[in-house]
Amino acid sequence: MRLLLIPVLSLAILLTAQPGYGQFAGDNNYIKSWNASWISAPGTNGSEYGVYYFRKSIDLSEKPQTFLVHVSADNRYKLYVNGTLVSLGPLRGDYWFWNYETVDLAPYLTAGKNIVAALVWNEAQYRPEAQISMRTGFIIQGDNPAAEILNTNERWKCLLDPGRGPVPGFFFAASKGEIVDMNRSVTGDWTAAGFDDSAWPRAGKVADGRLKGTAWGTDWALVPSTLPAREMTYQRIPLLRMSSGISVPASFPAEKTPLTVPANTTAVLLLDQTYETNAYVTLNFGGGKGAGISLGYAESLYEKGTRNGAKGNRNDIDGKEFIGRIDSLIADGGQGRSYTTLNFRTFRYLRVLVHTQNDPLVIDDIYGTFTGYPFQRTSVFSTSDTEITKILDIGWRTARLNAWESYTDCPYYEQLQYIGDTRIQAVISYFNSSDDRLARNALNELDHSRLPEGITRSCYPSKGTQVISPFSLWYIGMLHDYWMYRGGDDFIKDKLPGVRGILDFFSKYQLPDGSIRDMPYWAFVDWAGNMGGGPKGSDGCAAIYDLQLLWAYQWAADMETKLGLNDYAIMDGRKAAQLKATIRRKYWDPVKKLYADTKDKNGYSQHANALAILTGMVDAGDLRTVATNMLNDKSLTQCTIYFKYYLNQALVKAGLGDHYMDWLGIYRENMAMGLTTWAEVSEVNTTRSDCHAWGSSPNIEFFRTVLGIDSYAPGFTRVRIEPHLGKLTSVSGEIPHPNGKVAVAYVVSGSSLKAKITLPEKTTGIFVWKGKTYPLKEGGNSMEL
């Protein structure tokens, strides 16, 4: 007897399959219209919270070689064939781009009777902020006449689970907790052929299935998912850190070990994954009639008695208290019960609290199934410096936990694809993986988010509308990044009308001299000083916004020039030239040798001066001085871990790249505080989120700055390599490239350098060392300098 989401046997079978387990990405739809209907449980209005079970029995004369179907749902689904989980989805989108997955069911089908089943849930008002929803619905469309036997219609069966409900909690935008009363819920393996569904009602039709372009605009406009299936990897929880109320075997929970909680007992277990993870947690148990079970998930523990959210060292548990998201169960006393969370949970610490009544409860097992976008780390940085290796490993984990079916700002609290975060995350992907599909998906989704005014939302997909005006300018930078590192002229051209819309929006708030006055919406720059709400001078303007707009004009003109849109390029070039003159006149302080935040010159920041360097606003003769002032003058508003991405690039451009290792203090502080991912802000002790990928820029800069590898032409067709080795004397590495990989190896002896550089086919470039430039050809290059 098993319950609900992922039966243990099914999960075991799933985990032995190849990544993707039968799901296809891309447009595999060979039919022009769908005959299938969107279906749901009869007697429901589709707007309420609900967990639904769908089943369809089919008989096949023989095992098919292929059996393609297209599947989608609102909000989410998990699809099973004969008890095996074969697909999860759909990829989140909006009404106008509602995704479906294409799955080959043939490996899971047999001759004779087969059961295709789906778990569909609608979290209604409790759904994550990233989840757009019309109403509860489920749809399958066969790819050919033979597979259309599975088309969803009234011949499917559907049951609403009366025993499941939400635990709202307080965790902002991410998924909420859930409660399951097993006395009222479905028991038994409802995904298996032998399960008795004779009492289940027939499903009801709620809408026709319509592909994008055939819908009227009020339906789900179906489009094929462009992403592969998410990774699902079995993951044990290695440590028990604390227990009370019972004695625990030494092998629990690292190994599957039965644990009995006696009758009339309250037991508390604190489990430690030892690093932060995203995982579907599975609890297998039996007995315990009427027992309450609570599963709590936390990134870290909190110091008792503090009011500022202090966390202390994340490895310590003494003097700490548990505060976290909760799932709750009520046991029905049956044996072989299994519970798996609907959505993945983010945690390092997992608290299990059991309160039994008159019946003992046995925990048979507890474990996780890691999930994430199936990135493969193909970058290599070879060094004897273990600190560098640790920084890169933590950064990659942070990036992985914030990449699922979109990039996310943080996996625990919000799970939203914010442009400011996503720009950095996409570049991390380019330098560490050959897979750019998630970045393309992000650019598409953020383009879809634009308001009639032309500006983008700050994050998307999102059921609400939040606008951070400067993030639209970072979107233009994100598009330029993709063009430089991956190319795709046609893809870029498709997005340039959106760029025009963004720039037109800002033009409405520009003074005659080009400066932006009284920028509307949220003017967020960074969680530092007045940058969170935006600085503003007596004229309503600020250098940081003018500089971001300048950079956006420069990016746009660069793309437009090389893509043949000369009229736009000339216009944007003129606007950029005007802004440069205005910025220099209004904000440059010749005494301090810094750019002020406003024309009043009563405040200065690393932020404005970093962007001034990166946009070419600092004369060559002043670069070192401005950079040194940024580092040494602590009266300047200091960049947090997020904006250090731009600060460090500016310092490198100013000629200080050999000091890169000296700028990593915030990462050393994170590691000293026991974090296994990078914190959201620089106040590590009190940071809200312990996992923010915008801090993983070392996973770019150890390759771009230290090894010196960077794109020198659109599509990475030319490479510029200028290493900044600092005190390193022997180091090598490689990064993925659209044509293969770029590999370098350096040995420094005294003042001499031996360099070996390998470029992929059809790729040339230059090597820069001590101010001199040397040509690079495709294939191997060796030099002694």
Side-chain angles (χ1 to χ4, degrees):
M1 300 287 286
R2 302 186 186 92
L3 175 75
L4 302 178
L5 195 50
I6 302 179
V8 179
L9 178 60
S10 300
L11 183 59
I13 295 172
L14 166 64
L15 295 173
T16 61
Q18 295 297 316
Y21 50 89
Q23 180 168 311
F24 290 81
D27 189 357
N28 293 302
N29 180 32
Y30 299 108
I31 55 178
K32 300 301 181 184
S33 63
W34 283 21
N35 304 315
S37 300
W38 286 89
I39 59 174
S40 187
T44 60
N45 63 27
S47 63
E48 64 273 81
Y49 182 99
V51 178
Y52 303 83
Y53 307 88
F54 292 84
R55 279 172 56 94
K56 177 69 180 291
S57 173
I58 60 172
D59 286 299
L60 300 176
S61 59
E62 60 182 4
K63 179 179 176 64
Q65 292 186 342
T66 60
F67 199 97
L68 293 180
V69 299
H70 313 296
V71 57
S72 189
D74 185 348
N75 303 164
R76 314 285 296 177
Y77 76 82
K78 298 190 179 185
L79 184 69
Y80 303 84
V81 177
N82 295 325
T84 299
L85 179 64
V86 299
S87 182
L88 301 88
L91 169 66
R92 282 179 179 144
D94 55 36
Y95 305 138
W96 301 275
F97 297 89
W98 196 274
N99 291 283
Y100 64 83
E101 281 72 40
T102 297
V103 189
D104 188 359
L105 305 186
Y108 315 99
L109 295 169
T110 64
K113 183 179 180 180
N114 295 268
I115 290 294
V116 178
L119 185 75
V120 175
W121 64 97
N122 182 350
E123 295 179 271
Q125 69 268 35
Y126 305 109
R127 69 187 188 273
E129 182 66 26
Q131 182 64 58
I132 294 170
S133 174
M134 185 177 298
R135 57 149 297 147
T136 304
F138 174 60
I139 191 167
I140 288 181
Q141 169 68 49
D143 187 69
N144 54 52
E148 286 190 331
I149 191 174
L150 274 181
N151 282 10
T152 44
N153 50 40
E154 290 89 343
R155 289 187 292 276
W156 277 71
K157 292 195 170 185
C158 177
L159 182 70
L160 169 65
D161 189 332
R164 301 192 73 144
V167 179
F170 58 94
F171 288 95
F172 301 99
S175 59
K176 308 301 188 289
E178 52 191 276
I179 183 169
V180 182
D181 182 349
M182 295 189 171
N183 297 283
R184 303 173 59 221
S185 188
V186 174
T187 57
D189 189 354
W190 60 274
T191 68
F195 182 83
D196 182 8
D197 63 5
S198 59
W200 286 24
R202 297 286 183 180
K205 176 180 176 179
V206 296
D208 293 326
R210 294 184 181 273
L211 297 173
K212 183 171 180 60
T214 65
W216 293 355
T218 57
D219 301 323
W220 297 277
L222 289 158
V223 297
S225 170
T226 59
L227 299 184
R230 264 53 71 202
E231 178 183 339
M232 297 282 280
T233 302
Y234 179 71
Q235 183 173 269
R236 297 301 305 184
I237 304 169
L239 292 181
L240 171 71
R241 295 293 301 275
M242 182 277 292
S243 66
S244 65
I246 57 171
S247 59
V248 181
S251 58
F252 181 90
E255 300 175 11
K256 181 180 178 181
T257 306
L259 175 64
T260 299
V261 181
N264 301 306
T265 298
T266 298
V268 181
L269 311 172
L270 183 64
L271 313 183
D272 185 356
Q273 187 68 52
T274 71
Y275 54 85
E276 189 155 332
T277 190
N278 293 338
Y280 295 94
V281 172
T282 295
L283 176 69
N284 297 329
F285 61 98
K289 175 68 174 177
I293 306 169
S294 170
L295 301 176
Y297 315 92
E299 292 185 302
S300 59
L301 307 180
Y302 289 81
E303 294 179 353
K304 290 181 180 178
T306 61
R307 295 185 178 182
N308 62 348
K311 299 179 179 180
N313 191 293
R314 306 312 195 264
N315 297 320
D316 298 338
I317 66 170
D318 293 338
K320 300 284 189 73
E321 61 181 336
F322 185 97
I323 301 173
R325 178 182 285 105
I326 300 296
D327 292 317
S328 299
L329 310 174
I330 301 173
D332 69 337
Q335 298 300 312
R337 297 295 186 248
S338 181
Y339 165 77
T340 302
T341 54
L342 292 174
N343 300 296
F344 72 79
R345 301 297 186 225
T346 299
F347 62 93
R348 172 178 171 176
Y349 290 101
L350 195 161
R351 185 189 66 183
V352 182
L353 190 156
V354 179
H355 179 73
T356 57
Q357 303 293 330
N358 298 323
D359 185 21
L361 181 139
V362 178
I363 296 177
D364 297 310
D365 199 8
I366 186 169
Y367 60 89
T369 302
F370 169 79
T371 188
Y373 186 85
F375 276 126
Q376 298 296 314
R377 186 181 181 185
T378 56
S379 62
V380 177
F381 193 96
S382 298
T383 175
S384 59
D385 189 324
T386 57
E387 181 185 65
I388 294 175
T389 300
K390 187 174 181 180
I391 289 173
L392 289 172
D393 288 346
I394 292 175
W396 183 243
R397 178 184 296 118
T398 308
R400 291 276 343 251
L401 295 189
N402 281 288
W404 191 50
E405 59 188 17
S406 69
Y407 293 107
T408 64
D409 60 329
C410 55
Y412 190 73
Y413 287 97
E414 295 189 20
Q415 299 175 8
L416 287 165
Q417 188 168 245
Y418 278 94
I419 297 174
D421 307 62
T422 301
R423 184 187 180 206
I424 299 171
Q425 290 167 275
V427 179
I428 293 168
S429 302
Y430 305 149
F431 273 88
N432 292 274
S433 171
S434 58
D435 188 343
D436 60 21
R437 287 172 290 182
L438 196 63
R440 288 173 65 92
N441 182 70
L443 285 164
N444 282 328
E445 290 183 328
L446 295 168
D447 186 45
H448 298 162
S449 81
R450 285 183 296 112
L451 303 178
E453 298 168 80
I455 197 170
T456 65
R457 290 171 171 86
S458 62
C459 55
Y460 205 71
S462 173
K463 65 185 181 183
T465 300
Q466 182 198 72
V467 178
I468 299 176
S469 305
F471 275 19
S472 274
L473 300 175
W474 289 144
Y475 172 80
I476 300 175
M478 184 179 169
L479 190 65
H480 189 270
D481 293 339
Y482 184 89
W483 181 57
M484 290 298 292
Y485 290 110
R486 289 298 180 264
D489 286 358
D490 290 341
F491 179 77
I492 300 299
K493 283 183 179 179
D494 179 65
K495 300 295 180 290
L496 287 180
V499 171
R500 292 254 51 86
I502 293 168
L503 294 176
D504 287 346
F505 168 85
F506 281 94
S507 71
K508 296 179 178 65
Y509 301 95
Q510 288 182 269
L511 295 171
D513 64 2
S515 192
I516 304 173
R517 179 173 65 186
D518 296 331
M519 180 187 294
Y521 301 114
W522 187 9
F524 174 85
V525 176
D526 184 19
W527 293 121
N530 63 354
M531 294 292 172
K536 186 184 292 186
S538 58
D539 61 350
C541 304
I544 191 66
Y545 306 126
D546 289 347
L547 286 161
Q548 282 186 259
L549 181 58
L550 168 62
W551 210 358
Y553 279 131
Q554 292 171 340
W555 287 320
D558 190 26
M559 291 185 285
E560 290 157 350
T561 298
K562 294 183 175 66
L563 294 176
L565 303 174
N566 294 326
D567 290 342
Y568 283 128
I570 291 170
M571 179 177 64
D572 287 337
R574 288 172 177 168
K575 290 184 176 181
Q578 180 196 39
L579 257 181
K580 289 188 76 169
T582 296
I583 291 168
R584 179 81 182 187
R585 172 180 54 81
K586 289 179 65 171
Y587 306 117
W588 176 247
D589 187 328
V591 177
K592 283 183 171 288
K593 292 288 184 179
L594 287 169
Y595 278 91
D597 287 337
T598 67
K599 76 171 189 125
D600 308 302
K601 295 185 174 59
N602 53 11
Y604 299 80
S605 65
Q606 288 183 328
H607 305 73
N609 286 279
L611 295 197
I613 290 173
L614 292 172
T615 55
M617 287 299 307
V618 179
D619 295 337
D622 290 328
L623 276 174
R624 286 284 184 128
T625 301
V626 172
T628 301
N629 288 342
M630 280 199 300
L631 284 173
N632 297 333
D633 188 345
K634 301 307 178 184
S635 69
L636 272 63
T637 300
Q638 303 289 296
C639 294
T640 72
I641 190 171
Y642 158 50
F643 221 85
K644 286 182 185 294
Y645 175 69
Y646 299 102
L647 173 64
N648 291 346
Q649 287 182 77
L651 295 172
V652 172
K653 186 174 180 178
L656 303 182
D658 280 323
H659 299 283
Y660 178 73
M661 290 291 291
D662 299 333
W663 307 333
L664 302 178
I666 186 59
Y667 298 98
R668 297 183 177 104
E669 183 180 352
N670 271 253
M671 293 187 292
M673 292 286 282
L675 277 88
T676 62
T677 50
W678 302 131
E680 177 179 8
V681 295
S682 297
E683 290 74 31
V684 182
N685 187 41
T686 56
T687 183
R688 180 192 64 154
S689 166
D690 274 7
C691 183
H692 249 67
W694 67 10
S696 292
S697 57
N699 287 69
I700 303 168
E701 302 310 337
F702 272 108
F703 300 100
R704 184 164 64 183
T705 295
V706 178
L707 297 184
I709 307 168
D710 203 5
S711 175
Y712 200 44
F716 226 152
T717 53
R718 283 178 56 77
V719 179
R720 175 187 170 95
I721 300 180
E722 183 178 6
H724 300 87
L725 303 179
K727 297 178 182 179
L728 296 172
T729 57
S730 178
V731 65
S732 63
E734 61 186 54
I735 67 165
H737 183 278
N739 296 334
K741 66 180 181 180
V742 178
V744 299
Y746 307 119
V747 175
V748 177
S749 178
S751 60
S752 66
L753 170 74
K754 291 183 179 180
K756 292 184 178 180
I757 300 166
T758 304
L759 302 186
E761 293 182 356
K762 302 177 182 179
T763 307
T764 60
I766 61 172
F767 181 80
V768 181
W769 183 251
K770 294 184 177 180
K772 294 184 178 181
T773 300
Y774 307 86
L776 296 173
K777 66 182 188 304
E778 68 174 79
N781 299 263
S782 296
M783 54 190 74
E784 295 188 23
L785 306 172

